[in-house]
Amino acid sequence: MDKTTPLQRVLGLDIGRINTRAMLFGIYQEKYRLLGSQSASTSLGNEQSLAHDVTRAIDLLQEQTGVMISRSGASQVLAHDPLGRGADRLALVASVGDSIPTVLLGLAPAGSLKAGRALVDSLPLKLKGVFDIGNLLDEPGVIRDILLSRPEILILTGGEDAGAETSIMRWIEALRTVCLQFPEPVKPLILYAGNPLIQSAVKRSLEPLAKLLVAPNIQPEHGTYDLVPAAVYLDREIIKKWGNANPGLADLTDHSANHTGTVTFAQDRMMRYLSRAKQTADNDGRKEGLLAVNLGGAHTRISAGMRGLAGTVELPVWQGLPGHDAVSACQAIHKWSVEPVSFQEAEVYYQQQALFPGLIPDTQKELALSLAYARHRLQRGLARLSRNYDWFAYDQDAGLSGHYEPIIASGAILTRAPTPGHVMAVLLDGIQPRGITTIVLDRYQVLPLLGKVAEAESLLPVHLLESDAFVNLGTVVTAVSDLPSDRLVLTVDVQLDSGQSYTVEIGQGYLRRLDIPVGVSAVLNLQPHHRTDVGFGGAGIGGRLKVIGGQLGVVIDARGRPLRLPTDSTTRTATIQRWLWALGV
Amino acid sequence: MDHIAQGLTGLIRRERRLPFSGQVLVKEGDRVSPDQVIAVAEWGSDVLILDIARALNLSPDEAGEYLVRKVGDRLQPDDVIAQKDGAIPRLVRSPVNGTLVDCRQGRVVLQTAVASIEVCANMIGIVETVLPEEGAVITAHGVLIQGVWGNGKIGMGPIQVVDQVTDMFVEALAENGAEHGPVVVAGWCEKASDIKHLADLGVGGVIVGSMTPDLIAAAVDVPVPVIVLNGFGPFSTDPDLINRLKERQGEVASVNASPADVFTGHLPEVIIPTVKPDQELQSESPAELEIGQKVRLLSGKAAGQMGTVVECPETPILFESGVENFAAIVNLGNGEDVTIPVDNLLIVQN
């Protein structure tokens, strides 16, 4: 196809561990739109092949859109033709495979290894060991530990550009020894992403012994990451490895002309794009970021962007045998459940979910448990992101530092929640944002796929981001104050486009919803108490804010930071219930 | 996981493969037992690094010229590795048994130990096909009972069915002796100490219908296989299954408690070989939920109970939680029908 000809139709597939989604993008009124989205559960089918699940999702999509995309019962996509059948391009993102065992080698824990950890966490990789140069004092011991952990990927980094060489060369010698011990089929892939001055020495030493990829330095200078080139290589390798384990995926990858990647990396790519776009738009010097959170059945994915930078973490919801990390998770579920639940009930819920991660909340109590755990997942993911990136600050108690707008939420746990109020409650409690932000729900989990589709058609994501695939739940104004409970912290004059106006006073400790209909413009005149910060530059500083009503209008969160939950169970559940009522639940 | 075999009878076929090339230790037609190693692969695990340049007082670039052994040589203690003649000859000897695997930049690397990965049969059966350098396909005629959770261990023994693992049962087993290492099948287990005691008695395995989550740590720690058939919590065990197991009391079962794997579809499983040849096992993975199927309910007020699908409404239903989803109506066998999200059903094949 001529590269200047815009693609008419793009089929997107998102193969998750629990659901397989098929989405059709096409041009409507001169803009790309999401024409349909359907999902089928990922069951692996009778042939233990993902193609079976993809076929079911595509069949449902054909029924929904009336567009013939593939021949009946086949995952092979037809080429787009003048009759309107088929698609020009297939883009595929996947999160269905196991995380790949990986060992990370570098120089200093606070330097190259920190960048290395950020790289590992941003992809479906499972860290089996991290070694710094100090560990090489016992070289045979390190070699033994690496050998026994049987990594499939070895990442070697360290040395800033034009920095340390000798230490890296010592690692290279150790890696030679490691490679010589493994039989050919299990020799790990080695990714070198350190000081570029010794790339040729690395190639000479390691290329004859293992599959070697050489990427630009992931930390070219102290405190500066450049993870993308290395992540591109790793993303490709992960997809290959998953394809080897499941031929159905390999076939689909071929069919997509390699427009296939992991969901995590695709989401990261999209956040990078949005972060750069926001940087260009924010020409008034404000330092605002944006955030995307995905709570799927099997993974928690958090991405943040700030000043053109972006970072992502992916955490598996359940790791290894059930029982891992169960205590802190169950305590959090017990703490955040709006229905009174015992620790034991939380434990049964947690372990059953580990066995059956695709369960749908059936009763009020199951919903309460599910959304309580969602808050904990957000906290864990944000804390990990904060550990990996200096520019992202989050504290599990105090919440998010800095201003992030918008916050894009997705994942089955949120998109299937019964009301927008439920989603808003989880996000506000789990993230504890500050200042002013907008909460957007990515209903069909389109964001990662857009990151991959952009490779084929860069206009498509731009149009989609403005479409109704993304639902505005509402603008949130956080009023942080040290005033005692119930004291007036903020007065808001609301002026609707229709001319109607009203004034709302908000007391310390309260969550309030301002009724501004969906899509209606309004101007808020925020007048905070002199000890209240609403994100306009400090305590007591107010101003005018133009907003467009979301599904929940505008939400004023004056509950304070950090959020304080009563220790007594009855009072605590009553408090959470009161907050939910404020959000219309 | 949306289906599980709990009582299917027929020819069970399982492929056991090494993750990389190695040596297959069985041949076609061999009878195998669960803990029998059928294939093994090795790789170097320990190395000794000798700085021969320093020992010979040479530069790293020169040292290689004085090596008197070559890569691949097996060495014994005191074998000379490198030698520099002169007025005062210098020698580097191997301090250990090992294999010379590398010599570079004045360093000699000896491989001094190997690690191995073993693939066990994980079932009682017959080797149908040898997969050269990789493993084998093993078959058995028998009853297949899969669980939802396993502790990663394997074992075998005669089936012994009880309603519940209690202190009394454990004491009785201790008194009567568990020398045959029975595979204890129980509807429910309440205490971690009971699992530990059973393991101490040397049982061949513990199969429970359900147990509380606080027993997981104990179940992971014991050296015997533990399989949970239905889930964590107060789940009832299918009375049909228990009756069928009672009929097979005393027959030897193999227990493969390796954890469930969503990517391969593997579930922990018990196989009870039967004497008479059976037909091929019917499919272990049905395509869609159908009326008449036996199911286990995984959510709602009837969570853990068994039932039969009586209706599959074509439109989504709003549940008490406020979530809308496709549903099935399931008869619990006591005259009561419950409506449940289809995603919360486990199809039970038997």
Side-chain angles (χ1 to χ4, degrees):
Chain A
M1 169 166 294
D2 179 358
K3 277 197 168 178
T4 57
T5 309
L7 299 176
Q8 295 296 308
R9 292 256 172 77
V10 177
L11 175 67
L13 295 173
D14 178 343
I15 306 176
R17 278 187 99 93
I18 296 171
N19 291 307
T20 296
R21 296 177 190 81
M23 292 172 234
L24 189 64
F25 304 98
I27 294 176
Y28 177 70
Q29 293 184 338
E30 298 183 351
K31 287 206 164 183
Y32 283 106
R33 288 286 175 262
L34 179 64
L35 303 179
S37 171
Q38 288 290 318
S39 70
S41 58
T42 304
S43 64
L44 299 177
N46 290 324
E47 301 85 26
Q48 302 284 312
S49 161
L50 296 171
H52 175 81
D53 305 317
V54 168
T55 305
R56 280 193 300 155
I58 290 178
D59 285 349
L60 290 168
L61 185 63
Q62 291 185 148
E63 270 178 44
Q64 182 192 19
T65 60
V67 176
M68 188 174 168
I69 303 162
S70 69
R71 291 206 170 76
S72 178
S75 59
Q76 194 83 347
V77 179
L78 295 169
H80 184 56
D81 66 19
L83 297 174
R85 298 179 299 187
D88 298 309
R89 193 62 57 90
L90 167 65
L92 193 160
V93 291
S95 56
V96 69
D98 286 332
S99 299
I100 310 294
T102 301
V103 163
L104 177 62
L105 312 169
L107 301 184
S112 53
L113 286 174
K114 188 173 174 187
R117 279 182 188 273
L119 175 66
V120 170
D121 283 344
S122 70
L123 290 161
L125 300 173
K126 179 166 49 189
L127 208 48
K128 303 281 277 185
V130 181
F131 301 97
D132 61 47
I133 195 69
N135 295 119
L136 267 183
L137 289 173
D138 175 17
E139 189 176 345
V142 169
I143 290 169
R144 183 178 58 244
D145 289 346
I146 296 173
L147 288 168
L148 292 178
S149 64
R150 267 205 304 136
E152 292 183 35
I153 294 176
L154 274 161
I155 299 172
L156 173 59
T157 180
E160 294 160 19
D161 285 4
E165 292 181 26
T166 318
S167 303
I168 295 289
M169 291 309 294
R170 288 182 60 201
W171 268 128
I172 290 166
E173 288 307 310
L175 279 186
R176 270 185 61 85
T177 306
V178 166
C179 292
L180 286 166
Q181 309 310 305
F182 280 122
E184 197 57 44
V186 279
K187 281 194 196 299
L189 166 86
I190 297 174
L191 174 79
Y192 177 70
N195 183 354
L197 288 181
I198 51 172
Q199 281 181 354
S200 51
V202 172
K203 284 181 185 169
R204 270 198 311 276
S205 298
L206 297 176
E207 219 159 36
L209 297 176
K211 180 172 180 186
L212 176 72
L213 298 173
V214 178
N217 198 345
I218 57 173
Q219 193 190 227
E221 56 186 87
H222 187 71
T224 304
Y225 295 174
D226 181 16
L227 306 182
V228 176
V232 168
Y233 282 135
L234 291 172
D235 188 60
R236 216 173 283 154
E237 289 300 321
I238 292 164
I239 289 293
K240 262 190 221 165
K241 284 176 183 288
W242 287 353
N244 291 340
N246 194 303
L249 183 62
D251 292 346
L252 287 164
T253 303
D254 287 347
H255 196 54
S256 75
N258 289 320
H259 287 300
T260 299
T262 64
V263 170
T264 323
F265 187 58
Q267 178 169 311
D268 186 74
R269 181 193 163 105
M270 202 55 210
M271 287 300 280
R272 254 179 290 130
Y273 165 77
L274 291 175
S275 178
R276 284 186 197 131
K278 191 171 174 59
Q279 186 186 27
T280 312
D282 287 351
N283 51 11
D284 57 0
R286 283 180 299 166
K287 289 178 179 173
E288 279 192 353
L290 67 159
L291 191 66
V293 300
N294 178 303
L295 299 182
H299 298 98
T300 303
R301 276 183 213 99
I302 313 271
S303 301
M306 171 78 84
R307 284 167 275 157
L309 304 171
T312 296
V313 293
E314 175 180 281
L315 301 179
V317 182
W318 328 100
Q319 249 172 341
L321 287 169
H324 179 86
D325 193 29
V327 175
S328 63
C330 296
Q331 281 168 344
I333 294 168
H334 174 65
K335 174 181 161 184
W336 283 106
S337 172
V338 66
E339 295 274 328
V341 292
S342 65
F343 183 82
Q344 286 71 25
E345 283 176 298
E347 219 176 0
V348 168
Y349 165 79
Y350 178 84
Q351 301 299 357
Q352 279 297 107
Q353 284 288 320
L355 295 177
F356 308 104
L359 291 183
I360 307 265
D362 185 348
T363 62
Q364 285 285 348
K365 185 172 266 188
E366 287 168 9
L367 180 70
L369 289 161
S370 158
L371 298 182
Y373 185 42
R375 289 165 168 92
H376 176 66
R377 288 174 58 184
L378 281 174
Q379 291 172 342
R380 273 188 66 215
L382 290 162
R384 178 67 72 90
L385 195 67
S386 175
R387 186 195 75 176
N388 289 351
Y389 299 91
D390 290 339
W391 50 264
F392 183 81
Y394 172 83
D395 178 87
Q396 204 143 325
D397 292 322
L400 193 60
S401 297
H403 295 171
Y404 289 82
E405 189 193 20
I407 295 174
I408 304 169
S410 63
I413 305 297
L414 297 174
T415 54
R416 76 178 173 215
T419 70
H422 285 102
V423 179
M424 181 67 83
V426 168
L427 297 172
L428 293 185
D429 296 346
I431 299 171
Q432 296 194 55
R434 284 169 191 261
I436 295 157
T437 188
T438 309
I439 307 282
V440 175
L441 186 65
D442 174 6
R443 285 193 284 185
Y444 307 107
Q445 200 175 306
V446 171
L447 193 71
L449 205 41
L450 294 184
K452 191 42 70 178
V453 170
E455 291 174 4
E457 178 52 78
S458 57
L459 260 186
L460 198 153
V462 178
H463 291 173
L464 256 289
L465 286 165
E466 295 164 356
S467 77
D468 59 3
F470 293 86
V471 178
N472 176 7
L473 293 188
T475 299
V476 175
V477 178
T478 307
V480 179
S481 177
D482 59 359
L483 287 167
S485 291
D486 297 330
R487 284 281 303 276
L488 179 68
V489 291
L490 176 66
T491 305
V492 186
D493 294 327
V494 181
Q495 179 87 46
L496 297 177
D497 256 5
S498 60
Q500 191 192 346
S501 65
Y502 55 92
T503 300
V504 178
E505 294 185 332
I506 294 112
Q508 171 76 329
Y510 286 85
L511 194 61
R512 283 290 297 269
R513 196 155 71 94
L514 308 183
D515 188 17
I516 297 169
V518 175
V520 170
S521 297
V523 174
L524 310 182
N525 186 10
L526 301 169
Q527 302 155 56
H529 183 277
H530 71 273
R531 280 159 60 185
T532 303
D533 185 353
V534 291
F536 270 60
I541 303 174
R544 287 161 67 83
L545 177 69
K546 191 164 183 186
V547 296
I548 294 172
Q551 289 198 330
L552 291 167
V554 168
V555 174
I556 311 286
D557 185 354
R559 296 176 297 170
R561 296 287 182 268
L563 278 181
R564 294 194 196 286
L565 279 173
T567 47
D568 168 64
S569 294
T570 312
T571 322
R572 188 172 63 244
T573 50
T575 302
I576 298 170
Q577 183 61 68
R578 187 161 53 83
W579 291 343
L580 283 172
W581 281 333
L583 295 171
V585 174
Chain B
M1 186 194 319
D2 58 358
H3 61 273
I4 193 164
Q6 291 192 335
L8 280 185
T9 304
L11 182 68
I12 301 157
R13 181 177 282 114
R14 295 288 181 259
E15 197 176 88
R16 310 287 185 220
R17 274 183 196 271
L18 287 164
F20 52 92
S21 300
Q23 190 184 359
V24 179
L25 308 175
V26 291
K27 59 184 188 304
E28 282 177 17
D30 279 359
R31 288 186 171 279
V32 289
S33 56
D35 57 357
Q36 183 175 342
V37 177
I38 62 160
V40 63
E42 293 181 339
W43 72 98
S45 64
D46 282 270
V47 295
L48 183 71
I49 299 167
L50 300 173
D51 189 342
I52 60 166
R54 181 180 287 182
L56 299 179
N57 198 19
L58 295 166
S59 72
D61 292 339
E62 293 172 312
E65 294 168 26
Y66 296 89
L67 203 65
V68 297
R69 307 298 290 259
K70 59 183 187 305
V71 169
D73 280 359
R74 294 278 311 157
L75 299 171
Q76 292 183 335
D78 291 332
D79 281 354
V80 176
I81 299 173
Q83 180 172 346
K84 184 185 167 202
D85 296 328
I88 306 170
R90 288 173 182 255
L91 296 176
V92 179
R93 294 179 187 273
S94 171
V96 293
N97 279 312
T99 305
L100 199 158
V101 290
D102 197 20
C103 176
R104 232 172 87 92
Q105 307 223 315
R107 289 163 26 119
V108 162
V109 180
L110 303 183
Q111 183 188 87
T112 57
V114 292
S116 63
I117 186 161
E118 297 174 340
V119 170
C120 292
N122 288 354
M123 62 192 279
I124 301 165
I126 292 171
V127 176
E128 184 184 68
T129 314
V130 168
L131 308 166
E133 298 185 355
E134 290 186 45
V137 177
I138 300 168
T139 58
H141 292 279
V143 183
L144 175 65
I145 300 156
Q146 293 177 316
V148 295
W149 184 89
N151 70 346
K153 318 283 171 27
I154 50 173
M156 63 184 283
I159 296 266
Q160 185 167 351
V161 184
V162 289
D163 291 334
Q164 184 174 341
V165 176
T166 59
D167 291 345
M168 258 171 58
F169 169 75
V170 176
E171 282 165 23
L173 199 64
E175 278 174 23
N176 299 331
E179 68 270 24
H180 298 302
V183 170
V184 176
V185 181
W188 173 251
C189 184
E190 202 166 77
K191 291 195 294 189
S193 57
D194 289 336
I195 291 183
K196 286 180 188 158
H197 289 153
L198 286 173
D200 290 344
L201 290 172
V203 297
V206 180
I207 316 298
V208 292
S210 56
M211 65 184 198
T212 54
D214 53 332
L215 271 61
I216 292 174
V220 169
D221 282 346
V222 295
V224 301
V226 178
I227 290 180
V228 176
L229 295 178
N230 306 319
F232 297 109
F235 280 24
S236 65
T237 304
D238 181 5
D240 290 350
L241 176 63
I242 291 294
N243 288 337
R244 288 167 73 176
L245 286 169
K246 278 181 178 165
E247 286 168 16
R248 298 199 174 271
Q249 191 126 271
E251 291 182 25
V252 174
S254 61
V255 185
N256 173 12
S258 50
D261 182 337
V262 70
F263 208 53
T264 62
H266 168 82
L267 293 172
E269 59 190 23
V270 180
I271 294 174
I272 310 169
T274 51
V275 180
K276 62 177 181 184
D278 290 306
Q279 294 178 333
E280 287 274 330
L281 199 69
Q282 72 181 82
S283 168
E284 290 174 47
S285 48
E288 302 292 342
L289 190 71
E290 289 168 3
I291 290 170
Q293 272 171 337
K294 203 168 179 178
V295 288
R296 181 172 293 282
L297 286 70
L298 300 173
S299 72
K301 298 190 169 70
Q305 293 191 47
M306 298 284 295
T308 306
V309 178
V310 291
E311 197 180 331
C312 298
E314 286 183 2
T315 51
I317 283 181
L318 188 66
F319 289 91
E320 182 204 298
S321 61
V323 174
E324 205 176 56
N325 201 68
F326 284 100
I329 299 172
V330 176
N331 183 273
L332 298 179
N334 57 2
E336 191 188 347
D337 285 353
V338 291
T339 305
I340 181 165
V342 289
D343 301 73
N344 299 0
L345 290 173
L346 187 61
I347 300 166
V348 179
Q349 298 170 306
N350 56 18

